[in-house]
Amino acid sequence: MHWRSPQELWNRVDRRRRSFLWSRKQHTSGANSLIAWDHVCDTKETGGLRLKDLQIQNKCLQLKLIHKLHSDHPSSWARWVQSNACVASLTGDLYGQHWDMLRSLLPVYRA
């Protein structure tokens, strides 16, 4: 299955998570929700259920991959990237949407 954008993927995943959480079915309506989905990821102390925000989790994991490229003890993957691309800009023999997403996070990593 191919998604037009990463946002479409996150929307579909969250739709499934929401349906399972509120009705344990594949599809549900907002009428079954006990709290607004925007607050589900909040802490229990603030009224949420403390579920992980998958978009934030994904960005954190992508930043971790970028960090591995700059490690003093690089993994096999990092050594491969270092030999095929410029680590500072992630340009070189690196193609695909996942590399585009990593490139877009380079300013965040540098900050």
Side-chain angles (χ1 to χ4, degrees), residues 77 80-87 89-96 98-100 103:
W77 172 79
W80 179 87
V81 173
Q82 291 165 352
S83 69
N84 288 285
C86 171
V87 174
S89 62
L90 291 181
T91 56
D93 195 17
L94 306 172
Y95 305 102
H98 53 286
W99 289 109
D100 294 339
R103 275 185 214 99

Side-chain angles (χ1 to χ4, degrees), residues 29-98:
S29 69
N32 295 329
S33 302
L34 300 176
I35 63 173
W37 188 250
D38 293 345
H39 299 294
V40 169
C41 297
D42 292 345
T43 64
K44 290 181 181 182
E45 294 78 26
T46 59
L49 299 176
R50 202 174 178 200
L51 292 182
K52 288 193 183 292
D53 181 321
L54 295 180
Q55 289 183 61
I56 292 172
Q57 180 75 16
N58 186 54
K59 284 184 182 177
C60 290
L61 291 171
Q62 289 172 336
L63 287 166
K64 187 175 180 178
L65 282 175
I66 294 171
H67 183 69
K68 285 183 178 200
L69 294 174
H70 297 86
S71 171
D72 291 336
H73 306 287
S75 65
S76 298
W77 172 79
R79 284 193 300 274
W80 179 87
V81 173
Q82 291 165 352
S83 69
N84 288 285
C86 171
V87 174
S89 62
L90 291 181
T91 56
D93 195 17
L94 306 172
Y95 305 102
Q97 188 177 19
H98 53 286

